[in-house]
Amino acid sequence: MTARRLPVVPRPYRGELLSSWLARVACRYGLTHQALAEWMTDGGRSFSPIQSVDDRLPAPEQVRQWAWSCGVDPERLLRLSLSRRHPQRPNSWYTCRGPEWAPSAMIGSPAVCLACLAADHTADRDSWLRADWVLAEHCICPKHGHLLRDRCLGCGHRLSVAFRLREGQARAVCSRCEALLIDRGGEDDAPRDAALIEAALSIQQQVAQIVDGEGPAHEQLGQALATLWAPLDHPAAARPVLALWLNQAGWRCPYEVRHAVGVAMPLGQLPVGWRFVTLLAVNDVFGVNPDGVATSSETAIRLARRAASRRMRAMPPPLHGMATGPLPRSSAEYERLANQILADPRWTAAQCLSQRKRYSARARLIDAALSRKG
């Protein structure tokens, strides 16, 4: 069976995801983009639907098949692939669906800027998904200054984007509740700190330049991010080192981000809000372009020291009855160490400092006390 031609096909936008363009084509025929990609091949025998669209590195023969069926220059479609846009970027610096994501899987449904989709509606053109929305560090829209949305305002579920034909135009909707994804203004807009947004945009841009550039800088940045999301003190801890930077008493790691604790490259697996917080933290602690982890500042040294090492996390559990590492301290010894800290002149002098500085002084004294032998 030969490939089939389609009579009505919208043209791709310059900054669009390949899967977004296919979805806009497909919605005009009542199909999903996976089903359309399968239909355009040889009766669906050559490619399975789950492999039909890869925004990062699509198969050239598939792209040529889609281009022929849609009457589009194949080179124009290949330019939509993320590998063409960001040839130096590692796969781990794209967003993914979370703990079930695998390197061979497709990129998850991106967070969206509702103001951008509203602008498409106002201009009376198709809604479309911007390729920058799947970059791991991209959490603020540089055009509108809005935090991207990864949850539906209608049903509250994690956003999964679909396209529906409305008045002759493809519109982005939530695939669960069919709510139109558009910036309605008023109650949908959270209060924004202009200075904070400007700072986050600057950090976001610097991170993008590092990740898309050559050299080891992106590896150092990835190491700093992994340190912030390393388990706190113990390899099996559910709290990340980031909890120390947040400095909130009784803070517990939310369930939606626990899968990122201990992950080597956590940023792309986090919801948008947590990506935003993580970028602010890594800039504050290590700097956007860290020259090695745990050497940038006193805060970086303290946080890196509290991170459970990757070597410890990779070690198998000890056999039953076999002790490994130093023996645990007794309650009496911990009480003696606590009394030493309380009697230390440096702790007495710290009482006149601010709460944040007292916490830092206390942490240094605790680290010093625990590092002593005997």
Side-chain angles (χ1 to χ4, degrees):
M1 182 182 297
T2 59
R4 311 169 186 182
R5 283 190 179 273
L6 296 175
V8 179
V9 176
R11 302 296 94 177
Y13 293 106
R14 183 182 296 274
E16 188 173 16
L17 281 171
L18 179 60
S19 58
S20 170
W21 171 73
L22 279 172
R24 291 195 295 116
V25 176
C27 79
R28 286 168 165 78
Y29 300 94
L31 299 172
T32 64
H33 65 285
Q34 293 97 337
L36 177 67
E38 182 186 15
W39 181 87
M40 286 191 295
T41 59
D42 297 337
R45 292 193 298 270
S46 299
F47 308 100
S48 62
I50 194 64
Q51 296 176 330
S52 59
V53 184
D54 184 350
D55 280 310
R56 287 173 299 192
L57 189 62
E61 61 272 16
Q62 286 181 298
V63 174
R64 285 193 292 269
Q65 192 83 69
W66 301 336
W68 189 90
S69 296
C70 297
V72 180
D73 181 6
E75 183 60 27
R76 185 176 181 180
L77 295 185
L78 285 171
R79 286 198 296 266
L80 298 182
S81 66
L82 295 172
S83 61
R84 286 287 190 93
R85 302 176 195 270
H86 308 280
Q88 304 294 335
R89 177 174 289 252
N91 289 342
S92 55
W93 280 90
Y94 295 111
T95 59
C96 55
R97 294 185 181 275
E100 74 276 10
W101 181 83
S104 61
M106 292 184 297
I107 292 171
S109 185
V112 302
C113 173
L114 298 182
C116 286
L117 297 178
D120 295 336
H121 190 277
T122 302
D124 196 28
R125 60 172 178 254
D126 281 358
S127 300
W128 52 285
L129 303 182
R130 278 66 171 171
D132 287 348
W133 291 346
V134 300
L135 305 182
E137 74 281 0
H138 199 94
C139 51
I140 303 288
C141 174
K143 184 174 183 179
H144 299 100
H146 290 194
L147 188 70
L148 301 186
R149 295 276 188 175
D150 57 5
R151 288 195 174 273
C152 175
L153 296 176
C155 63
H157 286 94
R158 188 168 182 180
L159 190 60
S160 176
V161 180
F163 284 90
R164 300 289 183 264
L165 203 60
R166 300 284 188 270
E167 300 177 350
Q169 303 291 347
R171 297 290 175 227
V173 302
C174 171
S175 64
R176 292 184 176 87
C177 69
E178 297 290 321
L180 187 65
L181 301 179
I182 189 171
D183 185 4
R184 305 176 191 278
E187 67 276 7
D188 289 347
D189 279 344
R192 298 192 299 274
D193 185 325
L196 188 62
I197 292 296
E198 190 66 29
L201 280 172
S202 176
I203 298 168
Q204 178 177 290
Q205 184 179 12
Q206 292 178 62
V207 170
Q209 292 173 351
I210 292 171
V211 176
D212 287 333
E214 297 182 355
H218 67 85
E219 296 180 3
Q220 296 169 353
L221 181 60
Q223 187 182 358
L225 291 166
T227 299
L228 287 177
W229 281 93
L232 180 59
D233 293 332
H234 190 276
R239 296 178 64 193
V241 173
L242 183 67
L244 299 178
W245 182 81
L246 293 172
N247 197 23
Q248 295 180 3
W251 182 83
R252 295 192 177 188
C253 186
Y255 179 78
E256 64 179 357
V257 295
R258 285 191 180 181
H259 65 270
V261 179
V263 174
M265 297 296 292
L267 194 63
Q269 298 194 24
L270 295 170
V272 170
W274 283 101
R275 300 208 310 261
F276 177 77
V277 171
T278 302
L279 288 179
L280 294 177
V282 78
N283 182 61
D284 181 47
V285 176
F286 299 104
V288 172
N289 193 3
D291 184 15
V293 176
T295 61
S296 303
S297 67
E298 187 175 311
T299 305
I301 294 172
R302 180 169 64 89
L303 265 61
R305 188 177 296 168
R306 299 289 297 274
S309 70
R310 294 185 184 181
R311 184 181 63 82
M312 291 175 61
R313 296 200 296 273
M315 289 176 59
L319 298 176
H320 180 68
M322 182 180 296
T324 60
L327 295 175
R329 301 174 189 263
S330 64
S331 299
E333 188 173 2
Y334 276 117
E335 183 177 359
R336 178 176 62 82
L337 291 174
N339 290 331
Q340 287 179 1
I341 293 171
L342 292 175
D344 195 300
R346 289 172 293 179
W347 175 246
T348 304
Q351 300 310 302
C352 61
L353 301 176
S354 65
Q355 185 181 39
R356 188 183 184 95
K357 292 184 177 180
R358 284 202 309 273
Y359 286 157
S360 298
R362 183 180 65 183
R364 290 195 296 270
L365 292 171
I366 291 173
D367 288 342
L370 293 176
S371 64
R372 297 192 193 106
K373 297 182 179 179

